Amino acid sequence: MASIRKVKGGVCAPKQFRANSVSAGIKDPASKRLDLTLLISDTPCIASGTFTKNKVQAAPVRLSKKHIKNGDVQAILANSGNANACTGEVGMKDAIDSCSIIADELGLKTSQIAVCSTGVIGLPMPMMRIEPKLKLLSKKLSPKNGLDVAKAIMTSDTRHKESALSISCGKEKFKIGICAKGAGMIDPKMATMLCFITTDANIGKKLLDKTLKDTVELSFNRITIDGDMSTNDTVIALANGTSMKKEMQEGSATHKSFKEALGRLLLEMAKSLVKDGERVTKFVTINVTGAKSSKDAQKAAEAVANSSLVKCSWNGNDPNWGRIIHAIGYSGAFIHENRISISIAGIKACEKGLQSNFAMDRLRDKVSQDEFDIDIDLGINDGEYTVYSSDLSPEYVDFNRSEYAYWKQAKKDGLT
Amino acid sequence: MASIRKVKGGVCAPKQFRANSVSAGIKDPASKRLDLTLLISDTPCIASGTFTKNKVQAAPVRLSKKHIKNGDVQAILANSGNANACTGEVGMKDAIDSCSIIADELGLKTSQIAVCSTGVIGLPMPMMRIEPKLKLLSKKLSPKNGLDVAKAIMTSDTRHKESALSISCGKEKFKIGICAKGAGMIDPKMATMLCFITTDANIGKKLLDKTLKDTVELSFNRITIDGDMSTNDTVIALANGTSMKKEMQEGSATHKSFKEALGRLLLEMAKSLVKDGERVTKFVTINVTGAKSSKDAQKAAEAVANSSLVKCSWNGNDPNWGRIIHAIGYSGAFIHENRISISIAGIKACEKGLQSNFAMDRLRDKVSQDEFDIDIDLGINDGEYTVYSSDLSPEYVDFNRSEYAYWKQAKKDGLT
C-alpha cells in the first residue's frame, strides 16, 4: 500500500525545481501584480502536455506543443494579461524570442523551454515591457517560490490554486507538485486553462503521456464554467526523475500510486477552477448513470451542465428538475422520458419522468448551499459520466461585458 | 408578378377563421390576463405542423402531432402558464379531455382539435380552473378576435406578435395570418415556441407540409436566444381553401407567392421572438460565408450565436472579435485561422485572423445600437448560413433564477 500525504511547496515541492515570478505590467503598466513566471528543473526532464482542442490556437500553444513533442522540455515560461492568440507571425516571433532569451540565460536549447500565455485575445504582446524582465527572471530562481508561480498565472481568478503530494510506495519515495488557473472560458471538451505539474518521479515519456492523458480526462475534461473553450488551454508535466533510480513500469505499484496521486491533484485543481469560476456561487456535481453508453451519459451530463436556464435556476436556489429534464431531452442521448429519475442534493425530485412527492422547503434549503450533487438515472443501461459545473450569475454577465480597457492600453502602447 | 401587402386581423384575417380568448388564471388565479384561447376555421382545413426535436415532449405536443398527421385539424386550443410537460398519464388525459370538450362544443371529432401549452414544466395542469372555461370559449367566437390569440399565448413575452398578408397573384387572391410567442428556452435546433398560421388559400396536405418545413427552416430554425431547446415548440398551419376554387400546384406562380408570403411572415415572427427575448437588448444577425459547406457555416454561426462570452460582450457594446474567432475555433467547422475575416456592423474588425486597423470609437458607437450584423468570411469555399441571435444580459439571469412561485401556486391547488 502506498502512502500519499499533502506537503507544502506547490510546484517546487519535488526535488530540483526552482521558480521566480516578477511583475511586468503586461495588462496594466501601473499594476504591481505578478504576471510573468519561470519554472525550471535543474536537471533534464521528461515532459508531457495536453492542449486545447480549439482550432484557433495561440502562438505559445503551437510552439509549446512542438517543444513538448521532443520530450526534453526543462522549463516553463508563463504570463498572464495577454493570451498571445490571433497575433499571427508577430505573436509567434514574440513566443520564440521569449523562449530563446530564457534558453540563453539558462544554458539550454530554445526547444527545452515551454511557453504559456493567458489573457485577452487578438492584441500583440507588450514586448517592450516583457523583454527587460525576462533576463531578470532567471537571476533569483529559488525552490521557495512555488507559490508565486500559481499567483503569476492568475487572471480573473480570485484565489491561487496549488497543491503537492508526497508519495511513499515500497522503497520508492517521490513528490508531485501542481498549480493551475481558470476562471472563465472553461468548457470540458478539451484540456483546461493553464496547469503545471512537476515531479521528481522517474517516468518515461510514453508512460507520462498516457498517465497524464488518462488523469486529465477524469479531471479537467469533466468541468465546465461557461461552455466556452479557450484558445490557450495547456497542461504541462515535467518529470526530472531525481528521486528514483529506476524508471517506473506501467502497472507497477509505484506507477499505480503515481497515477492515483496525480489524478487526485488534477481533480483538486479542476474542482478549484469551477469553485473559483467567474462570479460563481455554486459548485454542482452532475452524475449521470443508467445511460445506453458512457458517451450518451456524457451528452446528458454536459447538456445539463451547460444549459443557461438550468444554471440560472441554481443561482436562484431553485431545485428546478423540469429544466434539467428538458436539457437531457435535447442532449442527443438515447432516452425514454418515463425512465428518467433525478435526485437533487440526495432528494428524489423526479421519478420515472414525473415529479416525486418531496418536501420543497427541505430541498430548497439543500440547494441554497454552496455545493450539491445532481444524480440522474436514465434507466436504460450502465453508461456513466460525471461533470463538475457551476451556476450562471448576473454578476458573471456583468463581469464579461467588456474588455475595452485592454484595447485602450494596447492603443497607448502603440500596439493597435 | 404577385402583389403582397400587409393587412390587419392577424390569424383571423383569412376568411372563415374565428377566435376567442379568456382568462383562466392558470398560472395565478388572481390574474385577469388572457391565458386560454381557441382558434377555429368554420370550414374543413388542411393542417400541417412542425414540432420540437427535444426528446422530452409535452403531452400536447405528442397529441397534436398525432392529430395533425391525419391532416384534418380545424381548431387550435392553446394556453399559457403551464407547459403540461413531464406530467405523464395525467397530462395526456388533461390534453385529450380538453380537446374532446372543445370537439363536443364545436361538433367536431376530438382528432380535429390541436392543443398547445406553454409555461412551467413538471406541474399538472390546474384543470379545475381550465375546464369551466373551455365551454365558454366556443360561445363568443368572432373573426375580430385575432389579436387576442396572440395575447393569450404570451408568457414572458413583453409584446404580442402577430401579422397578416394579403396576396394577389393573377386571378387568385388569398390571405395568410400568423401569431407567435417566444421569450426564453429558444434555440435553433428545432421548430420554435408556439406559432399559429391561418390561410384561406387552397393547398394540399403534402405541399403545405413541404412549404411549411422549408420556410420554418429559414426562419424559426435560424434563431437562438439562450441555446435551450423547449419541450413544447410547435408551429401549426391551418388552410381552409375558402378563397380559391382550385388547389394550388407546386411551383406555380400562386404557390411561389404563397411561399414567399409565408416565408416573410415566419421570418417576421422569428425576428420578433429574438428582439423580445427575455431581457434582450440587442438583435444580432450572424452571416457566415466562405465555409467548406453550409453545414460548416451553420456550426460556426451557431457557436458564435450561443457563446456566453460573445453574448456578454454584445451586452457591453464591446466589438470583441477575439471572442467571436475563439467560438469559431471550437465550433467544429473546418477552418484555417489565417483565412478568417470578421466584419462587425459593416466595419472590418479582423482580417485573415488578425486585428485590422479600424476606428475603435466608431465601431463602439455602431455596436451600441439595438441591431447590427456580424459578417464572418471563413475564406474556404462557398458554404453560407445565417443565424439571428441576441445578447445575454445580467437581467436575463436574474429573471430566470427561480420558478418557485409556480410551485407555491401548484401546492395551493393541491397539484403537488
Side-chain angles (χ1 to χ4, degrees):
Chain A
M1 278 285 287
S3 119
I4 300 176
R5 63 185 177 84
K6 281 247 169 201
V7 289
K8 297 202 170 181
V11 284
C12 288
K15 284 184 195 165
Q16 308 272 6
F17 282 94
R18 294 187 296 153
N20 189 25
S21 304
V22 297
S23 170
I26 293 172
K27 184 180 167 187
D28 172 11
S31 165
K32 293 280 172 254
R33 70 173 293 275
L34 300 175
D35 57 3
L36 192 65
T37 185
L38 178 64
L39 169 66
I40 72 152
S41 164
D42 289 331
T43 51
C45 284
I46 294 297
S48 187
T50 66
F51 299 89
T52 181
K53 300 284 184 297
N54 196 312
K55 286 180 195 161
V56 175
Q57 298 192 333
V61 167
R62 283 178 283 142
L63 188 64
S64 292
K65 262 171 124 166
K66 217 169 81 182
H67 291 180
I68 294 270
K69 215 174 170 182
N70 300 330
D72 67 342
V73 162
Q74 198 171 325
I76 302 170
L77 172 69
N79 74 273
S80 57
N82 188 314
N84 196 8
C86 303
T87 45
E89 285 169 25
V90 172
M92 186 51 87
K93 187 178 179 301
D94 291 346
I96 294 171
D97 285 354
S98 301
C99 287
S100 94
I101 291 169
I102 296 295
D104 284 352
E105 291 293 316
L106 298 176
L108 296 171
K109 291 176 289 177
T110 302
S111 67
Q112 286 180 291
I113 318 294
V115 58
C116 300
S117 299
T118 175
V120 72
I121 297 171
L123 294 173
M125 296 279 274
M127 289 304 286
M128 67 294 237
R129 288 197 291 282
I130 294 171
E131 236 180 273
K133 301 285 178 170
L134 288 175
K135 296 194 176 183
L136 278 178
L137 265 182
S138 56
K139 306 294 185 210
K140 293 189 177 169
L141 291 162
S142 158
K144 292 183 182 159
N145 291 342
L147 181 66
D148 282 354
V149 179
K151 286 184 177 170
I153 57 175
M154 287 165 64
T155 50
S156 51
D157 306 69
T158 66
R159 299 182 288 270
H160 62 277
K161 289 115 188 158
E162 50 108 42
S163 191
L165 292 174
S166 174
I167 301 99
S168 291
C169 180
K171 278 180 247 169
E172 308 288 8
K173 198 172 165 178
F174 58 91
K175 294 201 187 93
I176 309 177
I178 197 164
C179 71
K181 61 83 56 186
M185 228 183 240
I186 307 269
D187 179 282
K189 277 167 282 183
M190 61 342 295
T192 171
M193 295 301 281
L194 298 185
C195 176
F196 307 143
I197 301 148
T198 54
T199 181
D200 45 22
N202 192 340
I203 183 167
K205 167 77 175 152
K206 223 171 129 181
L207 189 54
L208 183 59
D209 283 350
K210 186 172 185 291
T211 310
L212 184 65
K213 190 170 172 274
D214 289 350
T215 45
V216 165
E217 177 54 39
L218 292 169
S219 52
F220 287 120
N221 283 0
R222 301 284 174 111
I223 64 171
T224 184
I225 292 173
D226 50 13
D228 272 316
M229 191 200 299
S230 153
T231 48
N232 288 54
D233 298 338
T234 299
V235 179
I236 294 176
L238 300 182
N240 66 18
T242 50
S243 276
M244 291 162 60
K245 282 189 185 140
K246 274 179 63 185
E247 193 180 305
M248 68 177 77
Q249 296 303 304
E250 186 167 3
S252 65
T254 309
H255 177 238
K256 279 181 190 158
S257 63
F258 176 81
K259 190 173 175 179
E260 189 191 328
L262 181 61
R264 227 190 262 185
L265 287 170
L266 282 166
L267 195 57
E268 181 188 338
M269 288 297 111
K271 289 183 177 180
S272 298
L273 254 56
V274 177
K275 288 178 192 174
D276 192 29
E278 283 166 355
R279 306 306 188 259
V280 155
T281 71
K282 295 266 194 299
F283 177 82
V284 185
T285 302
I286 301 154
N287 301 306
V288 175
T289 57
K292 197 177 170 189
S293 64
S294 63
K295 193 77 208 160
D296 267 30
Q298 181 178 358
K299 283 180 189 169
E302 290 182 352
V304 172
N306 283 315
S307 159
S308 297
L309 284 170
V310 170
K311 290 163 96 80
C312 289
S313 70
W314 293 338
N315 186 255
N317 305 327
D318 188 16
N320 202 314
W321 68 268
R323 289 186 186 171
I324 294 171
I325 202 170
H326 116 276
I328 297 168
Y330 68 67
S331 68
F334 176 83
I335 59 154
H336 286 297
E337 184 180 333
N338 59 8
R339 292 201 203 162
I340 300 173
S341 292
I342 303 170
S343 289
I344 303 175
I347 296 174
K348 182 72 64 74
C350 162
E351 177 120 43
K352 298 192 184 304
L354 299 173
Q355 197 187 163
S356 8
N357 191 12
F358 56 84
M360 186 51 143
D361 290 342
R362 219 179 115 228
L363 186 47
R364 277 169 61 85
D365 280 351
K366 291 246 184 187
V367 298
S368 300
Q369 292 169 7
D370 295 347
E371 296 188 24
F372 56 86
D373 283 20
I374 309 268
D375 297 299
I376 299 163
D377 181 1
L378 298 183
I380 306 285
N381 195 358
D382 59 1
E384 296 186 351
Y385 202 84
T386 295
V387 170
Y388 308 97
S389 187
S390 65
D391 60 330
L392 174 65
S393 66
E395 294 76 17
Y396 169 92
V397 180
D398 197 48
F399 181 75
N400 281 299
R401 291 177 77 238
S402 182
E403 295 187 325
Y404 184 50
Y406 285 96
W407 294 76
K408 277 201 293 194
Q409 184 57 47
K411 187 97 190 163
K412 262 192 210 162
D413 290 338
L415 292 170
T416 185
Chain B
M1 279 285 286
S3 123
I4 299 176
R5 64 186 177 81
K6 280 245 172 204
V7 290
K8 297 202 169 176
V11 283
C12 288
K15 283 183 195 166
Q16 309 271 7
F17 282 95
R18 293 186 297 152
N20 189 24
S21 305
V22 297
S23 170
I26 294 171
K27 185 179 167 187
D28 172 10
S31 165
K32 293 278 172 255
R33 70 172 294 275
L34 299 175
D35 58 3
L36 192 65
T37 185
L38 178 65
L39 169 66
I40 72 151
S41 165
D42 291 329
T43 52
C45 283
I46 294 298
S48 187
T50 67
F51 299 89
T52 181
K53 300 284 184 297
N54 196 312
K55 285 180 198 162
V56 174
Q57 298 191 334
V61 167
R62 283 178 283 141
L63 188 64
S64 293
K65 262 171 124 166
K66 218 169 78 179
H67 290 180
I68 293 269
K69 215 173 172 185
N70 300 330
D72 67 342
V73 163
Q74 198 170 325
I76 302 171
L77 171 70
N79 75 274
S80 57
N82 188 315
N84 196 7
C86 303
T87 45
E89 284 168 27
V90 172
M92 185 52 86
K93 186 178 179 300
D94 291 345
I96 294 172
D97 285 354
S98 300
C99 288
S100 92
I101 292 170
I102 296 295
D104 283 352
E105 291 293 316
L106 298 176
L108 295 171
K109 290 177 286 176
T110 301
S111 67
Q112 285 180 293
I113 318 294
V115 57
C116 300
S117 299
T118 175
V120 73
I121 296 172
L123 294 174
M125 297 279 274
M127 290 303 287
M128 66 293 234
R129 288 197 292 282
I130 294 172
E131 238 181 89
K133 301 284 180 172
L134 287 175
K135 295 195 176 184
L136 276 178
L137 265 181
S138 56
K139 306 293 186 211
K140 291 189 177 171
L141 291 162
S142 156
K144 291 182 184 162
N145 290 343
L147 181 67
D148 281 354
V149 178
K151 286 184 177 169
I153 57 175
M154 287 166 65
T155 51
S156 51
D157 308 69
T158 66
R159 297 183 289 271
H160 63 276
K161 290 112 185 158
E162 50 108 42
S163 192
L165 292 173
S166 173
I167 301 99
S168 292
C169 180
K171 276 181 249 169
E172 307 289 9
K173 197 171 167 180
F174 57 91
K175 294 200 186 94
I176 310 178
I178 197 165
C179 72
K181 63 82 55 188
M185 229 181 240
I186 306 271
D187 179 279
K189 277 167 280 182
M190 64 340 297
T192 170
M193 293 303 279
L194 298 185
C195 176
F196 306 142
I197 301 148
T198 54
T199 182
D200 46 23
N202 191 340
I203 182 167
K205 168 77 174 151
K206 224 171 130 181
L207 188 55
L208 183 60
D209 282 351
K210 186 171 186 291
T211 309
L212 184 65
K213 188 169 175 278
D214 290 351
T215 46
V216 165
E217 178 54 40
L218 293 169
S219 52
F220 286 117
N221 283 359
R222 301 286 175 110
I223 64 170
T224 183
I225 292 172
D226 49 14
D228 272 317
M229 191 200 299
S230 154
T231 47
N232 288 54
D233 300 338
T234 300
V235 179
I236 294 177
L238 300 182
N240 66 18
T242 49
S243 275
M244 291 162 60
K245 282 190 185 140
K246 274 179 65 184
E247 193 180 305
M248 68 176 77
Q249 296 304 305
E250 185 168 3
S252 65
T254 308
H255 176 240
K256 279 181 189 159
S257 63
F258 176 82
K259 189 173 177 179
E260 190 192 327
L262 181 61
R264 225 191 262 183
L265 286 170
L266 282 166
L267 196 57
E268 181 188 338
M269 288 298 110
K271 289 184 175 178
S272 298
L273 253 56
V274 177
K275 288 179 194 175
D276 192 29
E278 283 166 355
R279 306 307 188 257
V280 153
T281 72
K282 295 267 196 297
F283 177 83
V284 184
T285 302
I286 301 154
N287 302 305
V288 174
T289 57
K292 197 176 171 191
S293 64
S294 62
K295 193 78 209 160
D296 267 29
Q298 181 179 357
K299 284 180 189 168
E302 289 181 353
V304 172
N306 283 316
S307 159
S308 297
L309 285 169
V310 170
K311 290 164 95 80
C312 288
S313 70
W314 293 338
N315 185 255
N317 305 326
D318 187 15
N320 201 313
W321 68 268
R323 290 186 185 170
I324 293 171
I325 201 169
H326 115 276
I328 296 168
Y330 69 67
S331 69
F334 177 83
I335 59 154
H336 285 297
E337 183 179 333
N338 60 8
R339 291 200 203 163
I340 299 173
S341 292
I342 302 170
S343 289
I344 302 175
I347 295 174
K348 181 73 64 76
C350 163
E351 177 120 43
K352 296 191 185 306
L354 298 173
Q355 195 186 161
S356 11
N357 191 12
F358 55 84
M360 187 47 140
D361 289 342
R362 222 182 111 225
L363 186 47
R364 278 171 58 86
D365 281 350
K366 291 244 185 190
V367 298
S368 301
Q369 293 169 6
D370 296 346
E371 295 187 25
F372 56 87
D373 283 19
I374 309 267
D375 297 298
I376 299 164
D377 181 2
L378 297 183
I380 305 285
N381 194 357
D382 60 1
E384 296 186 351
Y385 202 83
T386 294
V387 170
Y388 307 98
S389 187
S390 65
D391 60 332
L392 174 64
S393 66
E395 294 77 16
Y396 168 91
V397 181
D398 198 47
F399 181 74
N400 281 299
R401 291 177 77 236
S402 182
E403 295 186 326
Y404 184 49
Y406 286 96
W407 293 77
K408 277 201 294 195
Q409 183 57 47
K411 186 96 188 162
K412 262 193 210 161
D413 291 338
L415 292 170
T416 186

